[in-house]
Each structure stands twice: as structure tokens, then as C-alpha cells.
């Protein structure tokens, strides 16, 4: 593959771009800083001139006022008349003109008449100043420019008779402007008037200037952009180029009392400053460019070395992929080792690593050839037992099917599964379990002989392939020998383990059948054997496959039924035999299929109980039962209980107590109104765990019952140890107790035993008055069955309760009552 842009070029480009960006940023910052220095110098200039102008104006005003005050006191003006005051001021006029640069003087009498001064030289605004001074008794000042600029000051003077005269003085502003020009070192200075028009703001020169200066300033003012405002001229000024000079034009506003806006126009020559800034900026740019070029050249020289090494290495590495290790070593041998170099870098280390990798790869290649055969062998055999594995067995079955069908024989497969092997792992650990599997594999091999193929299919499953099966009896004989070989216990670490095996057998003489299909048939038959409680074998037939398909179809339909509310509950009453009081109901599930009609529980529950869906259905029954119990409790039946059947899987579910607690809280039910019924098989399969779960449920306040008592592993020891509240005698004993003495004795002894343990006895399946009378004679506590009532659909529950329950007691029919009376059992 050809490299279009090398990594070193990319690195050089990226680093150069970063350096260029940093250089430009720093240069721009320094240039901006130099530009800011010009603006800062302008601000300092404006601030200094503002303070100086204010100081000069204040000094002039104070001097005039001090003179007026001094004249009033020394001249004792409060004793003078108007004429005497005018005469005194006339005598002082020449002195004022010399010392304070007074241009004109006007004196107004107490009545506002002009006592001194010429009317023709008096501006029109002076009478207004006089009137305002007289009204406020405070000095007033003003600035007016017309050809020349004059500052006007008015002050009140007290004369005889406590009357007030007003003196107005005018002073030429030219001397103050000259002083300010000298102080600021301005190139040119003038007073301007800002006038707003349609084109923006215009500046008119109102102070007296020479023709040359006036022409210069007017030309500068004409160059100021039209969008420039007075504020811009004050804060930033305007930089103009005139006669090869860099001139800064700025305004300094003056305080006036009229509507006219006056400002002092400063023209400063900052050519040297601008030249200095430009020189500094050029130096910054030149330095930045020099640094960037120097850095790029140095970086290019360094990176070029890396580029050369990378290209060499890229040309050498493909030799390793082609297993040309000797050629690779020859080329690399021409370069010095990285440890021998003065300043080794990462690429030197990479070259050394490549040499080491080449050496290791060469060694590995030599070992790989020897290992391939071993790996192929391991991929076909089980690592624990040494037997062929699933892959090897599938291959052997395909071969055997072809050979057997060609020779008109049978291809027979036996699928073995060790019964309850999981308990060994759970109780003794996987190490012991592995030893047990190895020992079991040896027994299977000995049982079938070396002629046949034995494989471990996974976990505790084994498969036997018969080599020369002739007929069905031969296959059955081998299957039975496999079962018999486990009659003796297996000793593991001096501990005996009694295990059995379930065997499924599948045979074929069809050449088109696949190994996978034959194995599936044997697997199905093995599960049929397990259904016989293990230690058995079954031969596969087509009905087994139909059963499996039926199970899959039924589970799918059941899931749809749960979503579409096809399931419902039927409730069978449980009554007190002595008082006929309704003690509670047992919740029984019903399924009404929209096409198949009613599907009996005995048809779908056995098929679903080994599927994951059964747990979901169990919790649905529990939730639905508790909702109905809530309706009963809030509608006149607060003391009845609800009996709910719990499957073995649900009973062993660790979330059961938490779920039950949530539902009790949701429906606001007392725990003692809930009775959980478990079969003997579910309880004794793991007695210690069963005791713990029963205690947990009782600690919550719930009741626990043993259902179908007598049909499983009935024993006094577990009945005594299990923390249960109710014992339900199976209906098979109730049905036969009137005709069979053994059943009668079992029922009577069971009732007596349970009563002695302080538990409550419930008889199931009571169908005749004679049975109920006999149970009453045996002092059985409660009963349920078709004699009392068939299971009531939940939609008909309230109707049946209204018909049969009076004051909380179940009402028997007259026929039943008559029959019970004949048997001396009153209700």
C-alpha cells in the first residue's frame, strides 16, 4: 500500500499549524496592546486637560467674586446709593481691565434699571442673568462666542436701604485658551460649536483664529467621518493624516448654561508616537515570522529522521507476515542495537521490539506445527473424561447412519442423563462433581465395551452409539445394562454416592435422517424416562414428539391466554364441619380457550409446570386471588381466608415473600387471611429449605398448608418439624373411607394426629352426606367438596353467596340435611 501523506508530514503540519496559531495570537495581542496604548494616552490627555480647564475657569470665577466681595466690604457699598456705587465702579474699571482682564461692566439698580454700562455692547442674555441673580441672590456665569469668546459673571451687591444691585462682568476667553494651549502642548486649539443637522453633527469654529489656522482646522473638520458623534470625539478622538502628519483631533466639552454646545477643539501632532507604534508592530511581526520559520526548520530536520526510520520499518514488517524471518534478521542486523546508540528513541526501541517479535514468531511457528495435531485432538475429545465430545459424536453418528443403512442394519443412539446430579454439585462442590462424572464415564464405557462409541455430550449427559445394532431387543439390553451399572454406589473420597441414570433410545434405518435429528429423538425419549422418576429407559416413538410439540404449542397459547384474559379463577368454599360457618375459599385456575373451549387444569398444568411460564402464571393466580379476597373483605366477609396453591418452583423463588408482602399492602389485607397450599413433594424435596421458607411466610403472618396429604412422603418426623398451620387430607382417602377399612383408619388416625399437634385438618373431595357425617364423627375441623359446592366461577361468586350463605354459614339443601340427620349429625 502506498502512503499518500506520511504520519511525520501530518505531525509536522499539525505542530506547525499550532505554532503558527500561537505566534499569530501572541503577535496580535502585542499589536492590540500597542494600539491600546494610543487610546490610553488620549484618555490621559483628555483627563489632564479637563482638570486644567476646570481649574482655570474656577480660578477666574473665584478671582472675580473675591474682587466683588472685597469691593463691597472695603467700599462699604451697603451705605452707598445707586449713583455712588456706579461712580465707585467707574473709578475701578481701568484697574479691573488690567488686573482681571475685564472687557465690559454693567450695573443694574434695585429695580432692574441699567445704572452703568453701554446698552449697545450688552448681549441680549445679560438682563436674564441679572434677573436670575437677583431672584436667587447667587452669582451666575455664562459663556458666549461670537467672533470671540467671552465669559460673563453676575453677582449681587448690597446697597443702602438693604437694597440689592447686580453687577455683570465680562472677561475675554482668549487668554484662558492660550494658557490651556501652552499647558497641553497642543498643535492647534480652538473653540467650536457642535450643531446637529440631517447629515449628522457639524462643528463650527467660533473662536478668533488667523486665516491660516482657520483654514487648517476647517480642512481637518471636513475629513471627520459623518457618522462620528460628539461622544466619539471626546472619548476616542479622530486620527487624521494631514501634510504627512498624524494628527489626533479631540473635543473637550465646556460647561454652559444656554442651549449652545461649546467645546474646545484640540489638534495634537502624534506622528512620533504613531511611528513608534508602527515600528514596534513591525518588529513583533518580524520576530514572530522568524521564530515560526526557525521552529519549522528545526522540527522538519528532526521529523525527517523519524520518517526515514518508519519507512524502513514498514518495508521490513511484511517479511514477518510472510514468515521470512531469516531475511528480516539480515536486514535488521545492519543497524546498530538501540542500546548501543547514544540517544536512543522510541523508534529505536520499536526496531528492537520488531527483532524480538521476529525471533519469538519463528519459535512459535516451530511449535505451532507440533501443537496443531494436539489441538485438533483436543477439539474432538472431552477434557474431563477423555471421551469424544459433541462434535466428534455427531461426526461418528453421521458415519454410522450411512454404514448401517447400507448394510440393512440399525443406527442406535442412547442418550443418558444422571438423575439429580445437580444436588451433588450444590452440596459437595464442583470438584467432587467432576470426580463423579469421571467415575460415571468409566462405568458407562465398561458397560458397553470398547466396540461401541461413548461420548460426553455436556454437563451430566452422555451418548452411546452402538456399532452393530441388529434389532430392538439388543438395543434394549444395552440400555438396561447402562441402568444396572449404577445400582452400586460410586465411591468418591471415601463417600458413597447413589446415583441413577435415565436413558432415551432412538433407532433408525433411514439413510436420509440427520445425526442432529436422531440425537433430538433420543433426548426426547430420555425426558420421558425421567418422567418415570429416573432409573429407566424409553424408546422414542412419534407420539413423544407430538407431546413435545403439544407442550410448546400449549405454552405459546397460554402466554396469549394470559395477555387476553382467557384465564379466570373458580372458588370452592371451605366450611367448618361443626357450625357450617364459611371459613374461606380455595382459588382454582380455569382456562376458557376461544376456539377449544374449556381446557381442564389437569391437561395444561402438568405440561406447563416445567416451563418458565408456570412461574408467571402462579403469580397471576396469587394477584387475582388477593384482589378477590379484598372484595370479599370489604363487602361483608371480613373473616374469610383465601387458600392459594403454590407450585414447587414458586415456593423456592426467593422473591416470593417480598412479592406477597407488596400485594398484601396493595390490597390492604391481613396476612392471616392468606393460606398458601404446598404439596408434600414440594416440601420434602429439600426439607431444610422448606422449613426456612415456611417460617419466613409464618413470620409475615401468613398461613401455610400441606395439600394432598398422604399421597407423597407422609411421615411423622417431617410433619412435626415443618411449621405449617393446616393439613389437607387427599380426596382419594375421603372417597374410599366408607368402603375401605384401611382408608378409614388412615383418615381417622391422620385427624387424630394432626389435632394432637395443634394443627387444623381440612378434608378434600367431600361428595356425600355420609362422608361429611363420618368426618364430623372423627372431629375433622373443616371440609370442602362437591357436596358443599362445586368450584364457583368468580363471575358467579356473589350470586352463589347470596343464595347459600346466611349469617356467615353455608346452607345445605334439604336432601343433604335429611341425610345428615339420619346419620345423627345435626346442622
Amino acid at each position: 500500500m502506498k502512503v499518500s501523506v506520511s504520519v511525520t508530514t501530518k505531525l509536522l503540519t499539525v505542530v506547525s499549524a499550532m505554532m503558527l496559531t500561537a505566534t499569530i495570537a501572541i503577535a496580535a495581542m502585542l499589536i492590540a496592546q500597542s494600539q491600546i496604548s494610543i487610546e490610553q494616552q488620549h484618555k490621559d490627555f483628555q483627563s489632564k486637560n479637563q482638570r486644567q480647564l476646570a481649574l482655570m475657569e474656577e480660578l477666574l470665577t473665584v478671582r472675580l467674586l473675591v474682587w466683588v466681595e472685597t469691593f463691597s466690604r472695603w467700599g462699604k457699598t451697603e451705605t452707598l446709593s445707586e449713583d455712588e456705587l456706579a461712580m465707585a465702579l467707574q473709578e475701578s474699571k481701568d484697574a479691573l481691565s488690567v488686573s482681571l482682564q475685564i472687557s465690559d461692566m454693567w450695573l443694574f439698580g434695585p429695580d432692574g434699571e441699567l445704572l452703568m454700562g453701554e446698552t449697545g455692547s450688552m448681549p441680549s442674555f445679560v438682563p436674564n442673568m441679572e434677573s436670575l441673580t437677583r431672584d436667587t441672590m447667587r452669582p451666575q456665569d455664562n459663556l458666549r462666542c461670537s467672533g470671540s469668546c467671552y465669559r460673563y459673571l453676575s453677582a449681587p451687591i448690597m446697597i443702602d436701604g438693604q437694597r440689592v444691585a447686580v453687577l455683570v462682568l465680562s472677561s475675554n476667553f482668549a487668554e484662558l485658551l492660550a494658557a490651556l494651549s501652552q499647558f497641553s502642548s497642543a498643535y492647534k486649539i480652538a473653540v467650536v460649536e457642535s450643531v446637529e443637522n440631517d447629515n449628522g453633527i457639524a462643528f463650527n469654529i467660533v473662536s478668533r483664529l488667523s486665516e491660516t489656522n482657520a483654514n487648517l482646522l476647517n480642512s481637518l473638520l471636513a475629513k471627520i467621518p459623518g457618522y462620528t458623534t460628539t461622544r466619539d470625539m471626546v472619548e476616542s478622538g479622530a486620527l487624521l493624516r494631514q501634510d504627512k502628519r498624524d494628527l489626533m483631533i479631540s473635543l473637550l466639552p465646556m460647561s454652559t448654561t444656554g442651549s449652545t454646545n461649546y467645546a474646545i477643539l484640540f489638534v495634537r501632532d502624534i506622528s512620533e508616537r504613531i511611528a513608534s507604534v508602527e515600528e514596534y508592530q513591525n518588529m513583533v511581526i518580524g520576530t514572530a515570522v522568524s521564530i515560526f520559520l526557525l521552529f519549522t526548520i528545526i522540527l522538519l530536520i528532526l521529523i525527517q529522521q523519524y520518517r526515514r526510520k518508519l519507512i524502513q520499518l514498514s518495508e521490513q514488517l511484511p517479511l514477518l507476515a510472510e514468515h521470512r524471518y531469516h531475511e528480516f534478521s539480515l536486514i535488521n542486523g545492519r543497524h546498530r542495537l538501540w542500546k548501543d546508540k547514544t540517544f536512543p528513541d522510541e523508534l529505536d526501541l520499536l526496531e528492537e521490539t520488531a527483532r524480538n517479535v521476529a525471533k519469538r514468531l519463528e519459535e512459535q511457528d516451530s511449535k505451532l506445527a507440533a501443537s496443531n495435531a494436539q489441538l485438533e485432538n483436543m477439539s474432538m475429545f472431552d477434557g474431563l473424561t477423555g471421551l469424544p465430545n459433541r462434535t466428534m459424536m455427531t461426526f461418528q453418528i453421521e458415519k454410522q447412519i450411512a454404514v448401517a443403512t447400507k448394510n440393512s442394519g440399525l443406527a442406535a443412539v442412547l442418550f443418558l442423563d444422571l438423575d439429580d446430579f445437580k444436588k451433588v454439585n450444590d452440596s459437595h462442590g464442583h470438584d467432587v462433581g467432576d470426580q463423579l462424572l469421571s467415575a460415571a464415564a468409566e462405568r458407562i464405557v465398561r458397560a458397553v465395551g470398547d466396540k461401541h462409541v461413548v461420548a460426553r455430550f455436556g454437563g451430566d449427559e452422555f451418548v452411546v452409539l452402538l456399532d452393530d445394532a441388529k434389532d430392538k431387543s439388543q438395543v434394549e439390553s444395552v440400555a438396561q445394562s447402562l441402568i444396572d451399572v449404577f445400582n452400586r454406589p460410586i465411591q468418591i473420597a471415601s463417600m458413597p454416592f447413589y446415583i441413577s441414570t435415565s436413558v432415551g433410545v432412538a433407532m433408525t434405518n433411514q439413510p436420509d435422517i440427520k445425526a442432529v435429528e436422531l440425537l433430538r429423538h433420543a433426548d426426547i425419549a430420555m425426558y420421558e424416562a425421567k418422567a418415570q422418576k429416573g432409573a429407566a429407559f424409553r424408546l422414542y416413538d412419534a407420539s413423544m414428539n407430538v407431546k413435545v410439540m403439544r407442550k410448546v404449542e400449549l405454552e405459546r397459547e397460554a402466554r396469549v391466554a394470559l395477555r387476553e384474559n382467557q384465564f379466570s379463577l373458580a372458588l370452592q368454599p371451605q366450611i367448618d364441619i361443626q357450625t357450617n360457618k364459611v371459613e374461606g375459599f380455595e382459588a382454582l385456575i380455569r382456562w376458557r380457550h376461544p376456539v377449544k373451549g374449556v381446557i381442564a387444569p389437569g391437561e395444561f398444568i402438568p405440561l406447563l409446570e416445567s416451563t418458565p411460564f408456570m412461574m408467571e402464571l402462579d403469580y397471576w393466580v396469587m394477584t387475582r386471588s388477593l384482589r378477590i379476597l379484598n372484595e370479599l373483605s370489604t363487602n361483608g366477609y371480613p373473616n374469610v381466608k383465601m387458600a392459594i396453591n403454590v407450585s414447587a418452583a414458586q415456593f423456592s423463588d426467593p422473591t416470593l415473600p417480598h412479592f406477597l408482602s407488596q400485594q398484601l399492602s396493595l390490597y390492604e389485607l391481613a396476612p392471616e387471611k392468606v393460606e398458601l397450599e404446598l404439596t408434600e413433594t414440594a416440601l420434602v424435596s429439600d426439607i431444610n429449605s422448606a422449613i426456612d421458607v415456611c417460617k419466613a411466610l409464618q413470620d409475615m403472618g401468613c398461613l401455610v398448608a400441606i395439600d394432598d396429604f398422604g399421597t407423597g412422603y407422609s411421615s411423622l418426623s417431617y410433619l412435626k418439624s415443618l411449621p405449617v398451620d393446616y393439613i389437607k387430607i387427599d380426596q382419594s382417602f375421603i372417597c374410599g373411607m366408607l368402603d375401605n377399612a384401611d382408608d378409614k383408619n388412615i383418615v381417622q388416625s391422620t385427624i387424630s394426629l394432626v389435632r394432637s399437634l395443634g394443627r387444623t385438618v381440612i378434608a378434600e373431595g367431600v361428595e356425600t352426606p355420609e362422608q361429611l357425617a363420618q368426618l364430623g364423627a372423627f372431629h375433622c375441623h373443616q371440609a370442602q367438596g362437591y357436596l358443599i359446592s362445586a368450584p364457583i366461577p368468580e363471575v358467579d361468586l356473589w350470586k352463589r353467596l347470596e343464595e347459600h350463605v346466611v349469617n356467615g354459614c353455608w346452607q345445605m339443601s334439604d336432601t343433604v340435611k335429611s341425610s345428615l340427620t339420619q346419620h345423627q349429625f345435626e346442622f
Side-chain angles (χ1 to χ4, degrees):
M1 186 176 83
K2 184 178 180 181
V3 177
S4 58
V5 181
S6 66
V7 66
T8 54
T9 303
K10 295 177 182 178
L11 179 62
L12 177 62
T13 303
V14 172
V15 176
S16 299
M18 293 174 60
M19 184 62 184
L20 180 60
T21 302
T23 304
I24 293 175
I26 294 173
M29 182 179 64
L30 293 175
I31 291 173
Q33 187 175 5
S34 66
Q35 193 66 33
I36 291 172
S37 67
I38 297 177
E39 297 176 1
Q40 185 63 40
Q41 185 184 42
H42 171 71
K43 291 180 181 179
D44 294 340
F45 176 81
Q46 288 288 86
S47 177
K48 181 180 67 172
N49 290 338
Q50 182 70 45
R51 291 195 301 271
Q52 186 64 23
L53 177 60
L55 180 62
M56 289 180 177
E57 288 182 338
E58 182 179 5
L59 180 60
L60 176 60
T61 302
V62 169
R63 288 175 63 191
L64 291 175
L65 291 177
V66 168
W67 181 87
V68 172
E69 181 67 23
T70 304
F71 176 78
S72 298
R73 290 187 178 181
W74 287 95
K76 297 182 180 180
T77 58
E78 68 274 7
T79 62
L80 300 177
S81 64
E82 297 94 321
D83 295 336
E84 291 173 340
L85 177 61
M87 187 178 298
L89 288 172
Q90 188 65 39
E91 293 175 355
S92 303
K93 183 176 182 181
D94 293 337
L96 284 174
S97 177
V98 174
S99 60
L100 299 179
Q101 290 81 41
I102 299 300
S103 301
D104 286 306
M105 181 185 302
W106 295 275
L107 179 63
F108 292 88
D111 298 326
E113 70 280 9
L114 182 62
L115 300 177
M116 177 183 171
E118 297 179 3
T119 305
S121 63
M122 182 176 64
S124 59
F125 62 84
V126 170
N128 292 333
M129 287 183 64
E130 180 272 333
S131 176
L132 185 60
T133 302
R134 189 182 305 279
D135 293 340
T136 61
M137 291 301 291
R138 296 178 62 85
Q140 303 294 324
D141 67 339
N142 202 342
L143 177 68
R144 283 294 186 272
C145 296
S146 180
S148 294
C149 293
Y150 292 88
R151 179 164 293 281
Y152 296 86
L153 178 67
S154 62
I157 299 177
M158 190 69 66
I159 61 176
D160 63 341
Q162 298 295 314
R163 293 178 300 161
V164 177
V166 176
L167 176 62
V168 180
L169 303 173
S170 69
S171 176
N172 196 323
F173 196 72
E175 294 186 9
L176 188 146
L177 199 62
L180 188 60
S181 174
Q182 183 178 5
F183 172 79
S184 63
S185 301
Y187 175 58
K188 300 295 180 183
I189 191 169
V191 179
V192 298
E193 174 188 1
S194 60
V195 179
E196 294 186 5
N197 52 39
D198 296 338
N199 297 325
I201 298 178
F203 300 101
N204 299 323
I205 300 174
V206 295
S207 61
R208 183 174 297 174
L209 296 173
S210 66
E211 183 179 355
T212 303
N213 288 339
N215 291 336
L216 175 62
L217 292 180
N218 283 325
S219 65
L220 290 175
L221 291 174
K223 291 182 178 180
I224 297 176
Y227 55 81
T228 305
T229 63
T230 303
R231 182 175 179 179
D232 295 336
M233 294 294 292
V234 174
E235 294 181 353
S236 304
L239 183 61
L240 303 175
R241 184 76 173 173
Q242 180 84 4
D243 298 333
K244 298 182 180 181
R245 293 173 180 263
D246 293 305
L247 303 177
M248 176 64 74
I249 314 299
S250 61
L251 292 180
L252 186 62
M254 300 174 63
S255 57
T256 60
T257 57
S259 59
T260 306
N261 297 319
Y262 294 113
I264 299 177
L265 177 69
F266 289 95
V267 180
R268 292 186 295 127
D269 186 355
I270 60 170
S271 300
E272 293 184 1
R273 178 61 180 169
I274 293 297
S276 175
V277 169
E278 289 178 350
E279 182 180 357
Y280 174 76
Q281 292 176 353
N282 291 334
M283 182 190 69
V284 168
I285 294 173
T287 303
V289 171
S290 300
I291 292 175
F292 172 72
L293 292 176
L294 180 62
F295 175 81
T296 303
I297 293 172
I298 295 174
L299 186 63
L300 180 61
I301 294 172
L302 293 176
I303 288 181
Q304 190 64 25
Q305 298 179 11
Y306 283 89
R307 179 177 178 276
R308 178 178 51 80
K309 291 181 180 179
L310 285 173
I311 291 176
Q312 291 175 352
L313 195 58
S314 66
E315 293 173 350
Q316 297 167 13
L317 287 178
L319 298 177
L320 298 181
E322 298 171 4
H323 304 280
R324 295 159 63 184
Y325 305 114
H326 180 68
E327 188 176 345
F328 180 88
S329 300
L330 290 177
I331 296 175
N332 261 273
R334 300 168 188 167
H335 305 293
R336 288 191 301 165
L337 296 176
W338 73 281
K339 295 180 180 179
D340 300 333
K341 294 186 178 182
T342 306
F343 299 106
D345 54 32
E346 291 83 354
L347 287 180
D348 296 321
L349 180 59
L350 183 59
E351 288 180 349
E352 180 65 19
T353 303
R355 279 192 287 269
N356 293 335
V357 168
K359 184 178 179 181
R360 295 288 182 87
L361 287 175
E362 190 173 5
E363 294 174 356
Q364 291 297 326
D365 268 7
S366 61
K367 295 178 181 178
L368 187 61
S371 300
N372 279 338
Q374 183 179 358
L375 289 174
E376 289 176 3
N377 184 62
M378 292 174 59
S379 67
M380 304 297 286
F381 291 87
D382 177 57
L384 177 64
T385 61
L387 298 175
N389 59 14
R390 180 192 299 260
T391 304
M392 181 66 171
M393 175 56 78
T394 304
F395 174 72
Q396 292 295 335
I397 293 175
E398 293 284 2
K399 286 176 57 181
Q400 184 62 29
I401 291 174
V403 172
T405 54
K406 182 179 180 180
N407 298 329
S408 302
L410 291 174
V413 172
L414 290 80
F415 202 109
L416 291 77
D417 183 87
L418 303 182
D419 299 325
D420 296 326
F421 177 75
K422 183 176 182 297
K423 292 183 179 179
V424 176
N425 274 338
D426 293 343
S427 57
H428 295 86
H430 288 278
D431 291 340
V432 174
D434 289 346
Q435 296 180 50
L436 186 60
L437 286 173
S438 298
E442 293 176 2
R443 287 197 178 187
I444 294 171
V445 171
R446 286 200 304 269
V448 301
D450 296 335
K451 187 176 181 180
H452 307 297
V453 181
V454 180
R456 184 187 176 203
F457 219 58
D460 58 345
E461 297 174 339
F462 297 87
V463 173
V464 176
L465 174 63
L466 300 186
D467 181 56
D468 56 350
K470 300 298 182 182
D471 52 35
K472 177 181 175 182
S473 60
Q474 180 187 358
V475 177
E476 290 178 342
S477 175
V478 174
Q480 187 61 49
S481 66
L482 289 171
I483 294 172
D484 295 341
V485 78
F486 289 100
N487 289 337
R488 294 179 292 105
I490 298 177
Q491 296 287 334
I492 302 295
S494 72
M495 291 184 296
F497 288 91
Y498 292 88
I499 62 172
S500 60
T501 182
S502 299
V503 182
V505 181
M507 298 178 295
T508 185
N509 58 3
Q510 302 297 322
D512 56 347
I513 193 170
K514 299 296 182 182
V516 175
E517 187 176 359
L518 191 63
L519 285 167
R520 186 175 66 85
H521 291 169
D523 188 30
I524 293 173
M526 182 270 292
Y527 278 103
E528 287 290 325
K530 272 192 176 295
Q532 300 179 4
K533 306 303 180 184
F537 72 88
R538 289 291 304 275
L539 271 67
Y540 173 81
D541 60 60
S543 63
M544 294 181 182
N545 191 53
V546 172
K547 184 177 179 181
V548 171
M549 298 303 295
R550 170 61 177 156
K551 182 177 180 180
V552 173
E553 180 185 3
L554 192 65
E555 181 180 359
R556 180 184 59 80
E557 290 181 338
R559 291 183 182 276
V560 175
L562 187 60
R563 291 197 303 269
E564 297 181 354
N565 296 319
Q566 297 175 18
F567 288 109
S568 63
L569 295 183
L571 303 154
Q572 189 169 40
Q574 297 174 337
I575 67 170
D576 185 287
I577 295 178
Q578 301 298 325
T579 64
N580 232 22
K581 177 184 176 182
V582 178
E583 296 289 345
F585 298 88
E586 180 178 3
L588 304 169
I589 191 168
R590 295 292 184 263
W591 182 1
R592 181 174 293 277
H593 195 281
V595 177
K596 301 176 182 178
V598 177
I599 301 178
E603 181 179 351
F604 67 85
I605 288 180
L607 292 177
L608 293 178
E609 62 184 356
S610 60
T611 67
F613 174 72
M614 193 64 201
M615 180 84 73
E616 185 178 352
L617 190 60
D618 286 337
Y619 280 111
W620 178 88
V621 171
M622 181 173 290
T623 303
R624 189 68 161 254
S625 302
L626 295 179
R627 192 189 74 181
I628 295 174
L629 180 60
N630 171 264
E631 294 174 358
L632 290 168
S633 300
T634 55
N635 291 278
Y637 294 89
N639 296 319
V640 298
K641 61 181 174 62
M642 182 67 70
I644 304 170
N645 290 285
V646 178
S647 68
Q650 188 180 21
F651 181 67
S652 60
D653 183 10
T655 65
L656 173 62
H658 178 66
F659 176 83
L660 184 57
S661 176
Q662 284 185 322
Q663 296 301 309
L664 291 173
S665 176
L666 175 64
Y667 292 110
E668 299 179 349
L669 295 172
E672 60 270 16
K673 300 304 178 185
V674 178
E675 174 191 324
L676 302 177
E677 296 187 356
L678 305 106
T679 62
E680 289 181 289
T681 304
L683 287 170
V684 302
S685 60
D686 189 346
I687 190 68
N688 294 325
S689 176
I691 292 174
D692 293 338
V693 176
C694 289
K695 284 183 178 179
L697 295 173
Q698 285 189 335
D699 290 342
M700 290 173 57
C702 296
L703 304 173
V704 181
I706 299 179
D707 196 14
D708 300 334
F709 183 78
T711 60
Y713 304 88
S714 305
S715 73
L716 180 61
S717 60
Y718 89 74
L719 184 61
K720 180 180 178 181
S721 61
L722 282 171
V724 297
D725 304 281
Y726 292 85
I727 302 297
K728 299 186 73 174
I729 302 176
D730 187 69
Q731 62 181 355
S732 62
F733 298 105
I734 304 300
C735 179
M737 70 177 179
L738 298 179
D739 303 321
N740 188 302
D742 292 336
D743 287 346
K744 181 177 181 179
N745 290 333
I746 290 173
V747 172
Q748 184 177 12
S749 60
T750 300
I751 294 173
S752 177
L753 174 63
V754 174
R755 289 180 66 93
S756 67
L757 294 174
R759 317 280 173 80
T760 302
V761 187
I762 302 176
E764 294 183 296
V766 179
E767 298 181 354
T768 66
E770 293 79 9
Q771 292 172 352
L772 185 61
Q774 186 66 71
L775 290 169
F778 288 160
H779 302 289
C780 182
H781 295 104
Q782 299 175 21
Q784 71 179 87
Y786 276 75
L787 174 67
I788 302 164
S789 173
I792 306 169
E794 58 180 285
V795 295
D796 300 330
L797 178 62
W798 292 102
K799 178 181 177 182
R800 296 289 295 276
L801 290 178
E802 291 176 0
E803 294 174 352
H804 291 278
V805 178
V806 177
N807 296 327
C809 296
W810 191 270
Q811 301 300 306
M812 298 288 188
S813 66
D814 293 338
T815 304
V816 174
K817 289 182 179 179
S818 175
S819 179
L820 290 172
T821 302
Q822 294 176 10
H823 291 85
Q824 291 82 37
F825 195 80
E826 297 291 339
F827 281 88

